Amino acid sequence: MFGYDVGVSGGVTSMGPFLKKFFPVVYRRTLEETDSNYCKYDNQGLQLFTSSLYLAGLVATFFASYTTRRFGRKQTMLIAGIFFIVGVVLNTAAQDLAMLIIGRILLGCGVGFANQAVPLFLSEIAPTRIRGGLNILFQLNVTIGILFANLVNYGTAKIKGGWGWRLSLGLAGIPAVLLTVGALLVVDTPNSLIERGRLEEGKEVLRKIRGTDKIEPEYQELLEASRVAKLVKHPFRNLMQRRNRPQLVIAVALQIFQQFTGINAIMFYAPVLFDTLGFGSDASLYSAVITGAVNVLSTLVSVYSVDKVGRRLLLLEAGVQMFLSQVVIAIVLGIKVTDHSNNLHTGYAILVVVMVCTFVSAFAWSWGPLGWLIPSETFPLETRSAGQSVTVCVNLLFTFVIAQAFLSMLCHLKYGIFLFFSSWVLIMSFFVLFLLPETKNIPIEEMTERVWKKHWFWKRFMDDYVEGLPGFGDYDEETVVNGSDKKRDGYGNGFDPSSQL
């Protein structure tokens, strides 16, 4: 659903009938020869059609954090599905720009709720040894949605009568219904059920998803993690504490870096981008289908390799590949695409498509899936829902920024836009090299002891774990002062809060 919404907007915004109905100024500009090739689509309203979805998702994720914690992962996915269905209906039947934007906003609410619940759901039901691969199925389905949207756009663009764009937007109803029905059929995660006090049900679900009766050690770990989590009265305030800073910094940085690779600029606007480069309307949609297919196949590489070679190696290798491909694209466009050239020579056009595919493939097995996987597996249970909310919020904020600014940046920077993104790829690769620890094959509940306490830089933030009393600021005053009962820290060590006072 998320992938389809990302892919479909770029396709319909390059269709003449769609532009003529909702963005006549842009439509007239595409027919004129006077404007620069790079500036034909530079229109804030057109960019708002794409970016409004992410702005709405940003706001929705704050509500989604509450529903995820209070009502569970399953109910949050169901809410997302309903938002998607209503948004699809409005978009398909849109008669004016306001109706179109409201539909996109409702789709954005669906994105906010789904992106909050689904990665958490996957991380919590997955056995440790395949947690990475299973979680990346989330990203794989995003890429399948983008490819599906590109194929649909390629077909509907040829429909006579100018109503093809309605079919493109309307077919989003298929994944919307699948998500809604699927949310009704799945069970909630053991972590969520235990966190909400439904202990026996949580134990039964754990037995069911593990396929064995030997679940007592894992069940006890979940009970302990849940009990510690319940001591935290203000998860967002707890998230800001010193001991949670490594996870928070990495989660926020990964989301910002993921957007500044430039991937969404290419995925949103692939047809527009290729049309700008002189490919022609049909050829541009065809090229977008190729990049969508590469995206799907490359994500499969990540599903297979993430739990074998690890997170860091995939990110570092991809950094080199993305940097080189973007520099080559910038050089080719700088030499060959002028403001008013009508066509890119066939050889150079093929080279650009190959380099875009090289870039997309590297992103698809690294920053795409791992940007979601790593934050979902590093936060402790007491801040996991709040941490995921911040992760989604930052991601959608910077997705909105890129979506709203890209066509204007393309107009002003021209081929330099690829140099802009490649410089960010260089920065993020150094961040991974020095500051991102490896998390493969490490149980979520053991991250602090086995990852953060042993990292050369982040271990300095773990000193208050050593002293005991995690999350001191989040116990209510009576519990701490009276020391009415002995609590345990996150590692099963007993302590008396009053003695710490």
Side-chain angles (χ1 to χ4, degrees):
M1 187 69 238
F2 184 23
Y4 190 90
D5 286 329
V6 168
V8 79
S9 59
V12 296
T13 51
S14 68
M15 293 181 190
F18 177 83
L19 292 175
K20 190 174 181 180
K21 183 171 181 64
F22 298 107
F23 306 99
V25 175
V26 180
Y27 179 67
R28 286 194 296 272
R29 206 184 294 161
T30 60
L31 300 177
E32 295 169 358
E33 298 296 327
T34 52
D35 264 320
S36 164
N37 278 335
Y38 288 104
C39 297
K40 284 180 181 177
Y41 294 93
D42 180 16
N43 179 276
Q44 289 301 307
L46 185 62
Q47 292 175 137
L48 184 64
F49 165 67
T50 297
S51 65
S52 58
L53 181 143
Y54 305 97
L55 191 60
L58 190 160
V59 175
T61 192
F62 290 109
F63 297 97
S65 173
Y66 173 78
T67 62
T68 305
R69 190 178 171 98
R70 182 76 177 78
F71 303 111
R73 287 52 164 157
K74 173 177 175 168
Q75 292 300 324
T76 305
M77 289 191 284
L78 186 61
I79 293 168
I82 293 167
F83 271 125
F84 278 136
I85 290 171
V86 178
V88 167
V89 170
L90 281 178
N91 265 354
T92 308
Q95 296 302 314
D96 52 37
L97 186 58
M99 196 170 173
L100 193 70
I101 298 295
I102 290 170
R104 288 289 285 182
I105 288 172
L106 289 172
L107 290 174
C109 292
V111 167
F113 276 82
N115 281 10
Q116 169 74 17
V118 175
L120 279 186
F121 179 86
L122 292 173
S123 284
E124 290 178 346
I125 64 166
T128 301
R129 70 183 184 283
I130 59 164
R131 186 178 66 236
L134 191 62
N135 205 296
I136 289 171
L137 291 178
F138 171 77
Q139 180 67 18
L140 176 65
N141 280 285
V142 172
T143 62
I144 290 171
I146 293 170
L147 175 60
F148 182 46
N150 289 337
L151 289 167
V152 167
N153 286 334
Y154 185 66
T156 58
K158 299 179 182 301
I159 292 176
K160 299 287 187 285
W163 55 272
W165 62 269
R166 289 194 188 275
L167 185 58
S168 285
L169 296 175
L171 286 174
I174 295 172
V177 170
L178 285 174
L179 176 64
T180 309
V181 173
L184 290 170
L185 297 177
V186 296
V187 292
D188 219 332
T189 68
N191 312 56
S192 176
L193 292 166
I194 292 168
E195 190 179 17
R196 289 179 287 140
R198 294 156 66 177
L199 304 185
E200 282 307 311
E201 196 177 339
K203 191 172 189 176
E204 187 55 42
V205 169
L206 185 62
R207 187 178 290 114
K208 181 179 177 182
I209 64 174
R210 294 290 179 260
T212 176
D213 289 330
K214 299 175 182 177
I215 54 152
E216 199 57 36
E218 186 177 359
Y219 178 66
Q220 291 302 323
E221 273 187 21
L222 292 178
L223 281 178
E224 180 61 19
S226 174
R227 197 190 55 72
V228 172
K230 282 180 180 172
L231 296 177
V232 177
K233 305 299 179 187
H234 308 286
F236 279 99
R237 192 192 304 169
N238 184 263
L239 197 60
M240 304 307 294
Q241 291 186 352
R242 179 178 168 81
R243 64 194 173 87
N244 289 320
R245 206 159 299 159
Q247 301 96 311
L248 184 62
V249 168
I250 283 174
V252 169
L254 287 179
Q255 302 316 305
I256 295 172
F257 288 151
Q258 188 192 66
Q259 298 313 309
F260 278 92
T261 57
I263 185 65
N264 275 343
I266 288 174
M267 284 303 167
F268 294 159
Y269 299 115
V272 169
L273 180 65
F274 287 127
D275 198 29
T276 297
L277 303 181
F279 279 44
S281 184
D282 269 5
S284 66
L285 283 169
Y286 187 60
S287 301
V289 169
I290 293 172
T291 56
V294 168
N295 199 9
V296 173
L297 294 173
S298 301
T299 306
L300 287 170
V301 173
S302 188
V303 172
Y304 176 76
S305 60
V306 67
D307 290 315
K308 293 182 172 64
V309 303
R311 285 69 162 147
R312 276 170 51 86
L313 185 62
L314 284 175
L315 290 169
L316 291 170
E317 184 280 329
V320 174
Q321 192 171 321
M322 292 194 301
F323 177 79
L324 293 175
S325 58
Q326 284 182 317
V327 169
V328 171
I329 292 170
I331 292 170
V332 172
L333 300 190
I335 295 171
K336 283 292 171 185
V337 178
T338 63
D339 281 355
H340 301 287
S341 62
N342 290 323
N343 196 23
L344 193 61
H345 185 274
T346 305
Y348 288 107
I350 291 171
L351 179 60
V352 168
V353 173
V354 168
M355 285 296 106
V356 167
C357 288
T358 303
F359 169 80
V360 167
S361 66
F363 177 87
W365 65 56
S366 63
W367 285 94
L370 299 182
W372 293 109
L373 169 63
I374 294 170
S376 75
E377 66 183 5
T378 51
F379 285 106
L381 183 62
E382 66 264 24
T383 57
R384 195 171 299 154
S385 184
Q388 183 67 11
S389 185
V390 170
T391 299
V392 174
C393 178
V394 172
N395 184 282
L396 292 173
L397 173 63
F398 282 88
T399 306
F400 167 75
V401 169
I402 294 293
Q404 189 63 30
F406 176 70
L407 293 177
S408 300
M409 290 169 70
L410 183 64
C411 179
H412 292 95
L413 295 176
K414 300 177 181 175
Y415 63 87
I417 186 119
F418 290 99
L419 295 177
F420 170 80
F421 287 128
S422 65
S423 62
W424 274 98
V425 171
L426 201 60
I427 293 168
M428 63 186 73
S429 296
F430 278 107
F431 177 87
V432 171
L433 186 63
F434 294 110
L435 292 176
L436 186 72
E438 183 56 70
T439 54
K440 73 164 182 173
N441 296 333
I442 297 172
I444 294 179
E445 278 71 32
E446 296 176 24
M447 285 288 174
T448 301
E449 285 292 334
R450 293 175 58 180
V451 174
W452 305 114
K453 282 190 174 183
K454 294 181 179 177
H455 190 270
W456 72 272
F457 181 77
W458 298 120
K459 64 183 180 184
R460 69 190 68 186
F461 294 92
M462 295 293 118
D463 50 6
D464 60 347
Y465 267 100
V466 177
E467 293 164 13
L469 207 60
F472 182 86
D474 285 314
Y475 291 93
D476 44 35
E477 189 178 346
E478 185 184 351
T479 303
V480 176
V481 173
N482 295 336
S484 54
D485 61 339
K486 281 203 168 191
K487 308 295 180 189
R488 288 183 172 272
D489 65 20
Y491 313 103
N493 304 311
F495 65 88
D496 182 349
S498 60
S499 68
Q500 296 290 335
L501 202 65

CSV table of all heavy atoms in Angstrom, one decimal, residues 331-355:
chain,number,residue,atom,x,y,z
A,331,ILE,N,27.8,13.6,-14.2
A,331,ILE,CA,28.7,13.9,-15.3
A,331,ILE,C,28.0,13.8,-16.6
A,331,ILE,O,28.1,14.7,-17.5
A,331,ILE,CB,29.9,13.0,-15.2
A,331,ILE,CG1,30.8,13.3,-13.9
A,331,ILE,CG2,30.8,13.1,-16.5
A,331,ILE,CD1,31.9,12.3,-13.6
A,332,VAL,N,27.3,12.7,-16.8
A,332,VAL,CA,26.6,12.5,-18.1
A,332,VAL,C,25.6,13.6,-18.4
A,332,VAL,O,25.5,14.2,-19.5
A,332,VAL,CB,25.9,11.2,-18.2
A,332,VAL,CG1,25.0,11.0,-19.4
A,332,VAL,CG2,26.9,10.0,-18.1
A,333,LEU,N,24.8,14.0,-17.3
A,333,LEU,CA,23.7,15.0,-17.5
A,333,LEU,C,24.4,16.4,-17.7
A,333,LEU,O,23.9,17.2,-18.5
A,333,LEU,CB,22.8,15.0,-16.3
A,333,LEU,CG,22.0,13.7,-16.0
A,333,LEU,CD1,20.9,14.0,-15.0
A,333,LEU,CD2,21.3,13.2,-17.3
A,334,GLY,N,25.5,16.6,-17.0
A,334,GLY,CA,26.2,17.9,-17.1
A,334,GLY,C,26.7,18.1,-18.5
A,334,GLY,O,26.7,19.2,-19.0
A,335,ILE,N,27.2,17.1,-19.2
A,335,ILE,CA,27.7,17.2,-20.5
A,335,ILE,C,26.6,17.2,-21.6
A,335,ILE,O,26.7,17.9,-22.5
A,335,ILE,CB,28.7,16.0,-20.8
A,335,ILE,CG1,29.9,16.1,-19.8
A,335,ILE,CG2,29.2,16.0,-22.2
A,335,ILE,CD1,30.8,14.9,-19.9
A,336,LYS,N,25.6,16.3,-21.4
A,336,LYS,CA,24.7,16.1,-22.5
A,336,LYS,C,23.3,16.7,-22.4
A,336,LYS,O,22.6,16.9,-23.4
A,336,LYS,CB,24.5,14.5,-22.6
A,336,LYS,CG,25.7,13.8,-23.3
A,336,LYS,CD,25.8,14.2,-24.7
A,336,LYS,CE,27.0,13.7,-25.4
A,336,LYS,NZ,27.2,14.2,-26.7
A,337,VAL,N,22.8,17.0,-21.2
A,337,VAL,CA,21.5,17.6,-21.1
A,337,VAL,C,21.5,19.1,-20.9
A,337,VAL,O,21.9,19.5,-19.8
A,337,VAL,CB,20.6,16.9,-20.0
A,337,VAL,CG1,19.3,17.5,-19.9
A,337,VAL,CG2,20.5,15.4,-20.3
A,338,THR,N,21.2,19.9,-21.9
A,338,THR,CA,21.1,21.3,-21.7
A,338,THR,C,19.7,21.7,-21.4
A,338,THR,O,18.8,20.9,-21.4
A,338,THR,CB,21.6,22.0,-23.0
A,338,THR,OG1,20.7,21.6,-24.1
A,338,THR,CG2,23.0,21.6,-23.4
A,339,ASP,N,19.5,23.0,-21.2
A,339,ASP,CA,18.1,23.4,-20.8
A,339,ASP,C,17.1,23.1,-21.9
A,339,ASP,O,15.9,22.9,-21.6
A,339,ASP,CB,18.1,24.9,-20.6
A,339,ASP,CG,18.7,25.3,-19.2
A,339,ASP,OD1,18.9,24.3,-18.4
A,339,ASP,OD2,18.9,26.4,-18.8
A,340,HIS,N,17.5,23.1,-23.2
A,340,HIS,CA,16.5,22.9,-24.2
A,340,HIS,C,16.8,21.8,-25.2
A,340,HIS,O,16.2,21.7,-26.3
A,340,HIS,CB,16.4,24.2,-25.0
A,340,HIS,CG,16.0,25.4,-24.2
A,340,HIS,ND1,14.7,25.6,-23.7
A,340,HIS,CD2,16.8,26.4,-23.7
A,340,HIS,CE1,14.7,26.7,-22.9
A,340,HIS,NE2,15.9,27.2,-22.9
A,341,SER,N,17.7,20.8,-24.8
A,341,SER,CA,17.9,19.7,-25.6
A,341,SER,C,16.7,18.8,-25.6
A,341,SER,O,16.1,18.5,-24.5
A,341,SER,CB,19.1,18.9,-25.2
A,341,SER,OG,18.9,18.4,-23.9
A,342,ASN,N,16.3,18.3,-26.7
A,342,ASN,CA,15.0,17.5,-26.8
A,342,ASN,C,15.3,16.0,-26.6
A,342,ASN,O,14.3,15.3,-26.4
A,342,ASN,CB,14.4,17.7,-28.2
A,342,ASN,CG,13.8,19.1,-28.3
A,342,ASN,OD1,13.3,19.6,-27.3
A,342,ASN,ND2,13.9,19.7,-29.5
A,343,ASN,N,16.5,15.6,-26.8
A,343,ASN,CA,16.7,14.1,-26.7
A,343,ASN,C,18.1,13.8,-26.2
A,343,ASN,O,19.1,14.5,-26.6
A,343,ASN,CB,16.5,13.5,-28.1
A,343,ASN,CG,16.3,12.0,-28.0
A,343,ASN,OD1,15.9,11.5,-26.9
A,343,ASN,ND2,16.6,11.3,-29.1
A,344,LEU,N,18.2,12.8,-25.3
A,344,LEU,CA,19.5,12.3,-24.9
A,344,LEU,C,19.9,11.2,-25.8
A,344,LEU,O,19.1,10.3,-26.1
A,344,LEU,CB,19.3,11.8,-23.4
A,344,LEU,CG,20.5,11.5,-22.6
A,344,LEU,CD1,21.4,12.8,-22.4
A,344,LEU,CD2,20.1,11.0,-21.2
A,345,HIS,N,21.1,11.2,-26.3
A,345,HIS,CA,21.6,10.2,-27.2
A,345,HIS,C,21.3,8.8,-26.6
A,345,HIS,O,21.5,8.6,-25.4
A,345,HIS,CB,23.1,10.4,-27.5
A,345,HIS,CG,23.6,9.5,-28.5
A,345,HIS,ND1,24.1,8.2,-28.2
A,345,HIS,CD2,23.8,9.6,-29.9
A,345,HIS,CE1,24.5,7.6,-29.3
A,345,HIS,NE2,24.3,8.4,-30.3
A,346,THR,N,20.9,7.9,-27.5
A,346,THR,CA,20.5,6.5,-27.0
A,346,THR,C,21.5,5.9,-26.1
A,346,THR,O,21.2,5.4,-25.0
A,346,THR,CB,20.3,5.6,-28.2
A,346,THR,OG1,19.3,6.2,-29.1
A,346,THR,CG2,19.7,4.2,-27.7
A,347,GLY,N,22.8,6.0,-26.5
A,347,GLY,CA,23.9,5.4,-25.6
A,347,GLY,C,24.0,6.0,-24.3
A,347,GLY,O,24.1,5.3,-23.3
A,348,TYR,N,23.9,7.3,-24.2
A,348,TYR,CA,23.9,8.0,-22.9
A,348,TYR,C,22.6,7.7,-22.1
A,348,TYR,O,22.7,7.7,-20.9
A,348,TYR,CB,24.1,9.5,-23.1
A,348,TYR,CG,25.5,9.9,-23.6
A,348,TYR,CD1,25.7,10.3,-24.9
A,348,TYR,CD2,26.6,9.8,-22.7
A,348,TYR,CE1,27.0,10.6,-25.3
A,348,TYR,CE2,27.9,10.1,-23.1
A,348,TYR,CZ,28.1,10.5,-24.5
A,348,TYR,OH,29.3,10.8,-24.9
A,349,ALA,N,21.5,7.7,-22.8
A,349,ALA,CA,20.2,7.4,-22.1
A,349,ALA,C,20.3,6.0,-21.4
A,349,ALA,O,19.9,5.9,-20.3
A,349,ALA,CB,19.1,7.4,-23.1
A,350,ILE,N,20.8,5.0,-22.1
A,350,ILE,CA,21.0,3.7,-21.6
A,350,ILE,C,21.9,3.7,-20.4
A,350,ILE,O,21.7,3.1,-19.3
A,350,ILE,CB,21.5,2.7,-22.6
A,350,ILE,CG1,20.4,2.4,-23.7
A,350,ILE,CG2,21.9,1.4,-22.0
A,350,ILE,CD1,20.9,1.7,-24.9
A,351,LEU,N,23.0,4.5,-20.5
A,351,LEU,CA,24.0,4.6,-19.4
A,351,LEU,C,23.3,5.2,-18.1
A,351,LEU,O,23.5,4.8,-17.0
A,351,LEU,CB,25.2,5.5,-19.8
A,351,LEU,CG,26.3,5.7,-18.7
A,351,LEU,CD1,26.8,4.4,-18.2
A,351,LEU,CD2,27.4,6.6,-19.2
A,352,VAL,N,22.5,6.3,-18.4
A,352,VAL,CA,21.8,6.9,-17.2
A,352,VAL,C,20.8,5.9,-16.6
A,352,VAL,O,20.8,5.8,-15.3
A,352,VAL,CB,21.0,8.1,-17.7
A,352,VAL,CG1,20.0,8.6,-16.6
A,352,VAL,CG2,21.9,9.3,-18.1
A,353,VAL,N,20.1,5.1,-17.4
A,353,VAL,CA,19.2,4.1,-16.8
A,353,VAL,C,19.9,3.1,-16.0
A,353,VAL,O,19.6,2.7,-14.9
A,353,VAL,CB,18.3,3.5,-17.9
A,353,VAL,CG1,17.5,2.3,-17.3
A,353,VAL,CG2,17.3,4.5,-18.5
A,354,VAL,N,21.1,2.6,-16.6
A,354,VAL,CA,21.9,1.6,-15.9
A,354,VAL,C,22.4,2.2,-14.6
A,354,VAL,O,22.4,1.5,-13.5
A,354,VAL,CB,23.1,1.2,-16.8
A,354,VAL,CG1,24.1,0.4,-16.0
A,354,VAL,CG2,22.6,0.4,-18.0
A,355,MET,N,22.9,3.4,-14.6
A,355,MET,CA,23.4,4.0,-13.3
A,355,MET,C,22.3,4.2,-12.3
A,355,MET,O,22.5,4.0,-11.1
A,355,MET,CB,24.1,5.4,-13.7
A,355,MET,CG,25.5,5.2,-14.3
A,355,MET,SD,26.7,4.4,-13.3
A,355,MET,CE,26.8,2.8,-14.0
